Tab-separated table of all heavy atoms in Angstrom:
chain	number	residue	atom	x	y	z
A	16	LEU	N	-12.547	-17.287	5.306
A	16	LEU	CA	-11.386	-17.866	5.981
A	16	LEU	C	-10.789	-19.016	5.165
A	16	LEU	O	-9.566	-19.088	4.970
A	16	LEU	CB	-11.786	-18.361	7.372
A	16	LEU	CG	-10.676	-18.934	8.231
A	16	LEU	CD1	-9.698	-17.844	8.626
A	16	LEU	CD2	-11.265	-19.592	9.461
A	21	LEU	N	-6.645	-21.176	1.464
A	21	LEU	CA	-6.406	-21.837	0.184
A	21	LEU	C	-5.477	-20.995	-0.699
A	21	LEU	O	-4.542	-21.523	-1.305
A	21	LEU	CB	-7.727	-22.101	-0.533
A	21	LEU	CG	-7.624	-22.810	-1.879
A	21	LEU	CD1	-7.073	-24.222	-1.679
A	21	LEU	CD2	-8.977	-22.852	-2.546
A	27	LEU	N	2.200	-20.514	-1.750
A	27	LEU	CA	3.411	-21.165	-1.261
A	27	LEU	C	3.825	-22.342	-2.146
A	27	LEU	O	5.007	-22.531	-2.414
A	27	LEU	CB	3.205	-21.632	0.180
A	27	LEU	CG	3.156	-20.534	1.217
A	27	LEU	CD1	2.794	-21.107	2.587
A	27	LEU	CD2	4.464	-19.784	1.290
A	61	GLN	N	1.744	7.613	0.895
A	61	GLN	CA	0.686	6.601	0.888
A	61	GLN	C	0.245	6.271	2.314
A	61	GLN	O	-0.936	6.101	2.582
A	61	GLN	CB	1.151	5.348	0.180
A	61	GLN	CG	0.057	4.322	0.076
A	61	GLN	CD	0.498	3.070	-0.631
A	61	GLN	OE1	1.637	2.944	-1.035
A	61	GLN	NE2	-0.407	2.135	-0.763
A	62	LEU	N	1.191	6.172	3.227
A	62	LEU	CA	0.853	5.895	4.617
A	62	LEU	C	0.024	7.031	5.207
A	62	LEU	O	-0.975	6.789	5.883
A	62	LEU	CB	2.130	5.679	5.432
A	62	LEU	CG	1.929	5.417	6.913
A	62	LEU	CD1	1.200	4.102	7.117
A	62	LEU	CD2	3.253	5.411	7.629
A	104	PRO	N	-9.709	2.107	-4.699
A	104	PRO	CA	-8.342	2.234	-5.223
A	104	PRO	C	-7.283	1.507	-4.388
A	104	PRO	O	-6.141	1.391	-4.822
A	104	PRO	CB	-8.074	3.734	-5.214
A	104	PRO	CG	-9.397	4.380	-5.128
A	104	PRO	CD	-10.280	3.422	-4.416
A	117	SER	N	12.038	-1.868	-7.676
A	117	SER	CA	12.820	-1.524	-8.862
A	117	SER	C	12.861	-0.018	-9.063
A	117	SER	O	13.873	0.532	-9.495
A	117	SER	CB	12.253	-2.213	-10.097
A	117	SER	OG	10.946	-1.750	-10.348
A	119	LEU	N	12.843	2.216	-6.645
A	119	LEU	CA	13.773	2.767	-5.662
A	119	LEU	C	15.218	2.566	-6.081
A	119	LEU	O	16.043	3.462	-5.952
A	119	LEU	CB	13.520	2.126	-4.290
A	119	LEU	CG	12.208	2.484	-3.620
A	119	LEU	CD1	12.050	1.708	-2.329
A	119	LEU	CD2	12.132	3.963	-3.364
Side-chain angles (χ1 to χ4, degrees):
L16 183 68
L21 181 65
L27 288 174
Q61 184 180 1
L62 178 65
S117 63
L119 292 176

